[in-house]
C-alpha cells in the first residue's frame, strides 16, 4: 500500500471545503494510499542517519470539521516512503528555504519529493515570470524608490507588491495622481532595504485573476477566475475575491502549453499560473490551490488527475 507524506501547515488549520491538499488526501485515501502528515519543523537530519519526520499517520472521517483521526505518531525516514508532497504555504522565507535543503538531502537518500525541492528554490513565485518576458506586463524588480517613481511616471497606474507574500497580502495600487506612492514604496522596500515588484496595472483584473493549473505540464481545461469584489483591486480568494470557473481562453492555453513542458521537465509536477487578461503575473509552485472550486463548478476532477499523475511518476 503506497505511503504518502504531506509536509504542510498544521492539519487543524485546514478549511476542508476548499483546501487543495485535503482534496489530494481524499483522492489518495480513496485509492488505498496511507496518509502521513508533518510540519516543516518536524523534519530532522543527523550525521550517520537520514532525513526523518516526526509525523502523524491519519485516516479521514466524514466530518467536515473534525476531519481526520490520528492513528499513530512516529519518526519515519522519508526515503522509506513512496512519495513526499511539499505543500507548505508561503511565505518563501529562510525557513522555507532550509526545508527545501532538507528535502534535497532526503532525495539524495532515495526519497521521491514533489514538487522537486531544487525546482522550488529555482522558481520563487513572483520572480519566476522574469524568464518569460513575452507573456508578462511591464514589470520592474527593484529596491530603489527612485526607480519606482520613474516606473510610475512612465506607466501612470501601477501595482506594487512584496516578493514573499501570498493571498494578495501587501499589494497596493497607485493611480495617476501618485497618491501615497512615496509612503507605499518606502514601506514595502523598508526604505530601500528590501526588493519589491512593480507592474503596470491591468484593467482586465475586473474580469478576474485567473488560476490556470498545470499537472505534469498539461493544463487543466478550466481556470478559476478570481474576481475582485466591492471595489477591491485584488482578486485573491483570501482577499474576498469571487471564484468563477471557466474554460481556458486561447491565450490562457497558449501560455500554459508554452510553459507546461518546460516546468514539468524541471520537476514541477503541479504549477498554478496566474493570468490577468492575456498577461502572466505569477508562477505558483509552493502549494497551488483551487482544486475544489474548479471541480465543484465544472465536475472536472482535479485531484483525481493529480493523483493519476503522481502515481504515474511513482510507477516510472
Amino acid at each position: 500500500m503506497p505511503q504518502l507524506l504531506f509536509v504542510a501547515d498544521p492539519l487543524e488549520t485546514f478549511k476542508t471545503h476548499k483546501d487543495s491538499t485535503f482534496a489530494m488526501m481524499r483522492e489518495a485515501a480513496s485509492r488505498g494510499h496511507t496518509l502521513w502528515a508533518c510540519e516543516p519543523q518536524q523534519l530532522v537530519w543527523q550525521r550517520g542517519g537520514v532525513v526523518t519526520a516526526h509525523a502523524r499517520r491519519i485516516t479521514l472521517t466524514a466530518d467536515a470539521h473534525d476531519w481526520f483521526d490520528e492513528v499513530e505518531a512516529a519518526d519515519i525516514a522519508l526515503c522509506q516512503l513512496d512519495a513526499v508532497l511539499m505543500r507548505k504555504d508561503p511565505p518563501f522565507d529562510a525557513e522555507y528555504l532550509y526545508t527545501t535543503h532538507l528535502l534535497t538531502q532526503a532525495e539524495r537518500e532515495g526519497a521521491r519529493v514533489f514538487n522537486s525541492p531544487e525546482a522550488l528554490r529555482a522558481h520563487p513565485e513572483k520572480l519566476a515570470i522574469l524568464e518569460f518576458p513575452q507573456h508578462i506586463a511591464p514589470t520592474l524588480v527593484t529596491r530603489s524608490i527612485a526607480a519606482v517613481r520613474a516606473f510610475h511616471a512612465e506607466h501612470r497606474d501601477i501595482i506594487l507588491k512584496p516578493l514573499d507574500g501570498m493571498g494578495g497580502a501587501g499589494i497596493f495600487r497607485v493611480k495617476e495622481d501618485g497618491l501615497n506612492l512615496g509612503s507605499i514604496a518606502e514601506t514595502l522596500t523598508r526604505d530601500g532595504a528590501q526588493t519589491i515588484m512593480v507592474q503596470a496595472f491591468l484593467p482586465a483584473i475586473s474580469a478576474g485573476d485567473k488560476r490556470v493549473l498545470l499537472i505534469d505540464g498539461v493544463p487543466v481545461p478550466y481556470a478559476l477566475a478570481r474576481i475582485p469584489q466591492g471595489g477591491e483591486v485584488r482578486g485573491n480568494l483570501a482577499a474576498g475575491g469571487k471564484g468563477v470557473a471557466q474554460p481556458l481562453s486561447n491565450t490562457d492555453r497558449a501560455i500554459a502549453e508554452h510553459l507546461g513542458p518546460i516546468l514539468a521537465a524541471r520537476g514541477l509536477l503541479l504549477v498554478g499560473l496566474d493570468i490577468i487578461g492575456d498577461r502572466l503575473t505569477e508562477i505558483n509552485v509552493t502549494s497551488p490551490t483551487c482544486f475544489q472550486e474548479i471541480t465543484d463548478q465544472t465536475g472536472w476532477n482535479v485531484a483525481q488527475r493529480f493523483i493519476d499523475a503522481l502515481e504515474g511518476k511513482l510507477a516510472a
Side-chain angles (χ1 to χ4, degrees):
M1 185 178 295
Q3 299 196 72
L4 310 181
L5 171 66
F6 291 82
V7 182
D9 291 291
L11 299 180
E12 291 78 8
T13 67
F14 281 29
K15 296 179 174 62
T16 57
H17 67 283
K18 64 177 184 177
D19 192 282
S20 294
T21 303
F22 171 74
M24 295 175 184
M25 290 178 168
R26 183 174 56 191
E27 178 65 27
S30 75
R31 303 183 188 202
H33 297 2
T34 299
L35 306 180
W36 293 86
C38 76
E39 298 170 40
Q41 65 268 28
Q42 294 171 311
L43 297 175
V44 176
W45 181 87
Q46 185 171 334
R47 192 182 72 169
V50 295
V51 178
T52 62
H54 185 68
R56 297 190 279 180
R57 181 162 66 90
I58 63 171
T59 57
L60 305 187
T61 72
D63 190 320
H65 300 288
D66 187 16
W67 62 272
F68 70 92
D69 288 327
E70 181 176 322
V71 178
E72 64 173 316
D75 293 324
I76 54 173
L78 272 58
C79 59
Q80 294 179 349
L81 298 162
D82 293 280
V84 178
L85 290 90
M86 177 53 167
R87 290 289 299 172
K88 174 71 177 70
D89 284 343
F92 194 97
D93 54 12
E95 286 301 325
Y96 191 103
L97 187 65
Y98 302 151
T99 299
T100 69
H101 283 290
L102 282 172
L103 293 174
T104 292
Q105 177 61 25
E107 285 186 322
R108 296 187 191 107
E109 297 160 356
R112 304 287 302 276
V113 184
F114 306 91
N115 283 324
S116 154
E118 180 180 358
L120 290 175
R121 290 193 295 275
H123 297 82
E125 300 190 331
K126 304 290 193 299
L127 294 176
I129 64 171
L130 274 58
E131 183 180 354
F132 307 102
Q134 67 270 44
H135 295 307
I136 71 175
T139 297
L140 169 72
V141 178
T142 187
R143 65 173 68 178
S144 164
I145 294 173
V148 173
R149 290 188 181 280
F151 189 85
H152 177 262
E154 178 181 0
H155 296 285
R156 314 305 301 170
D157 194 350
I158 65 174
I159 294 290
L160 303 92
K161 54 188 176 182
L163 295 179
D164 61 354
M166 67 167 291
I171 292 178
F172 292 88
R173 179 184 179 186
V174 177
K175 299 182 181 180
E176 189 168 3
D177 59 13
L179 187 64
N180 290 328
L181 175 61
S183 176
I184 292 168
E186 290 164 10
T187 299
L188 289 182
T189 66
R190 297 183 183 175
D191 292 321
Q194 183 166 293
T195 303
I196 64 170
M197 178 172 282
V198 191
Q199 294 175 303
F201 175 73
L202 296 172
I205 185 62
S206 62
D209 179 356
K210 294 171 287 185
R211 167 59 54 84
V212 176
L213 292 170
L214 301 174
I215 298 175
D216 199 18
V218 179
V220 170
Y222 297 93
L224 190 76
R226 297 159 297 175
I227 302 171
Q229 301 293 300
E232 183 52 85
V233 72
R234 301 169 298 172
N236 310 74
L237 300 182
K242 178 183 179 183
V244 178
Q246 59 190 41
L248 299 187
S249 70
N250 290 338
T251 303
D252 296 340
R253 187 170 294 278
I255 294 172
E257 290 180 348
H258 176 205
L259 271 61
I262 296 171
L263 299 175
R266 297 174 183 174
L268 293 168
L269 181 64
L270 177 62
V271 175
L273 306 177
D274 287 350
I275 299 173
I276 298 175
D278 60 359
R279 299 287 95 183
L280 176 69
T281 61
E282 288 188 20
I283 300 175
N284 295 271
V285 299
T286 55
S287 56
T289 61
C290 301
F291 278 37
Q292 296 203 62
E293 294 88 348
I294 291 172
T295 299
D296 290 346
Q297 294 183 40
T298 69
W300 203 94
N301 195 322
V302 183
Q304 182 181 82
R305 175 68 189 95
F306 175 77
I307 298 298
D308 285 345
L310 177 65
E311 290 178 340
K313 291 292 184 185
L314 298 180

